[in-house]
Amino acid sequence: MRMPQCKIPRPGAIISQDSPERRATIMKRPLLTGMLIFMALAFAASMARADGILVPGHWPPPRDVIVEPLPAFAIKYHHVKVDIEGQLAKTHIDQVFINQVNREIEGTYLFPIPEGAAIKDFKMWMNNEPIPGKVLDKDEARRIYEAIVRQRKDPGLLEYVDRGLFRASVFPIPANGEQRIEIEYTEMLTKNNNTVPYTYPLNTERFSSKPINDVTISVNIHSKIPIKTVYSPTHTVSVRRPDNNTAAISYEEANTRPNIDFSIYYSLSEDDIGLSLLTWKPKGEDGYFMFLAAPPAEVQEKEVAAKDVVFVFDRTGSMSGEKIEQAREALKFSLRNLNAKDRFNVVTFNETPEPLFDKLQPATKANIDKALEMAGALTAMGGTNIDEALTKSAPMLTDKSRPSFILFMTDGLPTVGVTDVDQILADVQKAMPKFVRVFVFGVGYDVNTFLLDKMAGNHNGVTEYVRPGEDLEVKVSGLYRKISYPILANLEIDWGAMRPYDIFPGKLPDLFKGSQIILAGRFKGSGTAKVKLTGEAEGKKESFLLTQNLSDTMPLNDFIPTLWAQRKINFLLAEIRLKGHNKELVDEVIRLSKQFGIITEYTSFLVEEPGMMMSDRFERKATEAFARSAAPKMKRESGGSAVNQSVNLASGQSATKASIGVQGYYDENGSMVSISQVRQAGDRVFFQQGRMWVENTYNEKMKTIKIKAFSEAQFQLLARDPSLGKCMSVGEEVIIMVNGQAVQIGAEGQDTL
């Protein structure tokens, strides 16, 4: 049955859907015994917040109620569809709630309204009638938020005390039945220079007592001005670009508890290469920035640079079986996707390298057919001579006016010829022209990660590891698809008046069709900066200019310091792992990890060892723990632990990824370990220490004011500074720094200020 639409009027107005049947239904409601909510809400840990809350009972409750505990409504699915035209965003939310008790009950639907948004449609059908709703202003909403928090003894809603609220009563909800609710709001997005952010408040689902079966967000953007960069700093998303003026972003996850708001940024530019600069400057500190560059989604053939590529593929005995079959198909895919102006060669190796041609050949049909025939006949046998395979392949690439690549794939350790890692690296460094990029594929766990990571790093490439159970063909074809259309090579940036430092990654990758680069760094400059990106296309220099006031920023940019710290920490860890222990670098890793709340496999002791974060001897304890737990692990060169360490570090340093939303790492078995003991409230960081959530700048020697949780004192403090609501929502027991003073909110403390 099609649900009717109820238009939502201005805040404070009531939507009336009065009828004799509805009045009769209301009169027949069961006694409040089944509806009431103090204990029900105490059990309602699984209700969603901000993106739609369905609370058992009538809210606010009448006085002198009989309290009966009721389980919360479970959430079956949560679907979000966003349409953005230019800067006007329309967000449609579709949720299904499940009544988990054996009788019909009443519920109250609450929707905290995002700042600057307007509710447009509310869809719900009960007893063949549309359900009315009411938009409450901030003062009315605040009273409801605080009342719920007081009665539920759960601070989660305090984050939204400064927002308006939409409310609707829902009755009856059938026994063990479902209730579908849809709501839609619009907002005009703010553009910062040429960059537009969009945020959906998804983080409230983190309090769910049960994972949600199905969470999906789809965002469709259309703009008259061409769209350039599209990315999410919070979630791993899929981005599809049908044309220069359209972008489709999707995020989906099953059986999950979302714990961070969903954000995307997109830039609009008429330039061939779109440049964006986002800044964040804390008071009294140097600034943080994120710089992005992206080519258009649609590229004419004449705009694609002709490239030279040599495929160097391992065909040793260890590649037999499924691996050699996948290698054949991966090589065939790459050959079939060569461009008409490209040149190529194929070198297979075991004890000795065997090139298909004596030099690079044009990508004609005849040459590609010959290479395909060879690929189909690949067999696996013999030992692994990595040194000779690469030193014989490198001299084939001689034309520095063309983007030049080696795609190197191996599944083993060097066993024939030169086997010393340092000597192999030195030999390859000597033979390889400086302009050549080396992309490395390590297959399985029997590879030397130090050798492969250093080789890719020395030659401006990346390492991709294909772990057991992963598809080699998919990995190779995925990377080749990215690099098959070079747009701009040998990039350089003139930062003008920015005076930047600590930029990560330090080496700029090339720009390819469908790709983008994301840099994070610090800056000392002020005023207006002119940032110029220069690169080579078809051997000719091209430049692109961005002029921006460095003070132009927006509150949503507060994620940039964390992104920068994530990049720097992983860079430092990679340096320690590949070059050996360095106390100065270890100290910096520990300091940044605490300051920004970033936990890696090497620093997990920060949240695992009791009392670590609050100790006044934190630095000494952390240094000892690093030496005890992390240092031995870093020495492993091969095996599952070594491969997954490389995967973790590469992900944290990536020039093309920006997501900071999920903290976790792969362990030595390839299983994902999630970090749940760190929470962020804006740009403030809290670590879980037992039952208490502690702000990162606190230590146990500080004098602390104690306030009883959910007392008048807590709400007085919140009234003085509503921004503390985000910090209070982190947990029921929390230590917050307020103007340099430690304030502990917990089971004991003063009731009034």
Side-chain angles (χ1 to χ4, degrees), residues 652-722:
Q653 297 179 80
S654 174
T656 58
K657 298 178 182 178
S659 175
I660 59 171
V662 179
Q663 285 219 56
Y665 56 86
Y666 290 104
D667 65 14
E668 61 185 48
N669 298 315
S671 300
M672 174 58 73
V673 177
S674 297
I675 302 297
S676 60
Q677 302 99 318
V678 182
R679 289 181 181 170
Q680 292 192 335
D683 58 355
R684 300 170 75 165
V685 176
F686 293 81
F687 290 89
Q688 188 175 23
Q689 302 283 276
R691 290 177 53 85
M692 184 75 66
W693 287 90
V694 180
E695 191 161 2
N696 60 346
T697 52
Y698 171 80
N699 75 64
E700 59 194 358
K701 293 290 186 180
M702 291 181 174
K703 291 184 178 180
T704 305
I705 296 174
K706 292 187 177 182
I707 290 177
K708 191 172 184 179
F710 313 111
S711 67
E712 192 60 35
Q714 180 173 357
F715 291 100
Q716 288 173 337
L717 183 62
L718 182 63
R720 293 178 185 177
D721 185 357

Side-chain angles (χ1 to χ4, degrees), residues 456-471:
N458 290 346
H459 302 285
N460 298 321
V462 296
T463 309
E464 287 273 0
Y465 288 96
V466 186
R467 291 168 292 185
E470 294 184 323
D471 193 316

Side-chain angles (χ1 to χ4, degrees), residues 29 51 169 176 230 313-314 409 486 492 531 559 567 742 752:
R29 288 179 178 174
D51 36 39
S169 294
N176 299 307
V230 179
F313 272 41
D314 185 337
M409 186 200 70
E492 296 178 353
V531 180
F559 74 89
R567 296 282 184 89
T752 60

Side-chain angles (χ1 to χ4, degrees), residues 167-400:
R167 180 184 63 186
S169 294
V170 186
F171 178 82
I173 303 171
N176 299 307
E178 298 181 356
Q179 178 58 57
R180 182 182 180 188
I181 297 176
E182 296 179 76
I183 192 167
E184 184 174 286
Y185 64 87
T186 61
E187 58 186 318
M188 182 61 70
L189 304 179
T190 302
K191 185 166 70 170
N192 181 219
N193 292 297
N194 65 345
T195 304
V196 183
Y198 168 84
T199 294
Y200 176 72
L202 187 65
N203 71 318
T204 54
E205 302 286 18
R206 69 181 184 266
F207 297 99
S208 178
S209 63
K210 292 182 179 179
I212 303 170
N213 292 345
D214 178 21
V215 177
T216 64
I217 300 178
S218 64
V219 183
N220 293 295
I221 307 172
H222 185 267
S223 171
K224 293 180 180 179
I225 302 173
I227 301 167
K228 289 299 192 296
T229 55
V230 179
Y231 64 96
S232 170
T234 56
H235 292 76
T236 301
V237 298
S238 171
V239 179
R240 188 172 58 86
R241 297 297 310 276
D243 55 60
N244 286 335
N245 300 87
T246 307
I249 302 102
S250 61
Y251 161 75
E252 56 184 68
E253 202 164 353
N255 196 34
T256 184
R257 285 190 183 95
N259 63 356
I260 188 170
D261 287 345
F262 174 86
S263 293
I264 58 169
Y265 284 67
Y266 60 96
S267 66
L268 307 174
S269 175
E270 298 281 4
D271 296 336
D272 289 339
I273 302 295
L275 307 181
S276 299
L277 180 65
L278 301 178
T279 61
W280 180 258
K281 197 171 189 309
K283 187 176 181 180
E285 296 183 32
D286 290 345
Y288 298 84
F289 74 89
M290 183 169 69
F291 174 82
L292 302 99
E298 296 176 296
V299 179
Q300 301 297 321
E301 185 176 347
K302 64 181 180 180
E303 298 175 290
V304 177
K307 66 180 179 292
D308 292 339
V309 57
V310 179
F311 303 96
V312 184
F313 272 41
D314 185 337
R315 60 179 181 88
T316 57
S318 57
M319 284 288 293
S320 61
E322 184 180 14
K323 284 192 285 188
I324 196 67
E325 292 175 7
Q326 291 182 353
R328 290 191 199 109
E329 295 307 311
L331 181 54
K332 288 178 182 178
F333 174 89
S334 301
L335 292 167
R336 291 188 181 111
N337 283 274
L338 288 166
N339 300 322
K341 296 184 292 183
D342 292 345
R343 297 183 303 206
F344 78 103
N345 203 348
V346 180
V347 178
T348 60
F349 72 95
N350 45 27
E351 290 93 344
T352 57
E354 294 184 11
L356 177 61
F357 306 108
D358 59 356
K359 62 180 181 179
L360 293 178
Q361 295 295 314
T364 63
K365 183 178 184 304
N367 287 332
I368 291 174
D369 286 345
K370 185 175 181 179
L372 288 171
E373 182 180 356
M374 182 274 297
L378 274 180
T379 57
M381 63 181 70
T384 309
N385 191 338
I386 291 175
D387 185 271
E388 191 173 354
L390 288 168
T391 55
K392 290 294 179 65
S393 300
M396 298 179 188
L397 298 163
T398 59
D399 189 348
K400 64 180 180 180

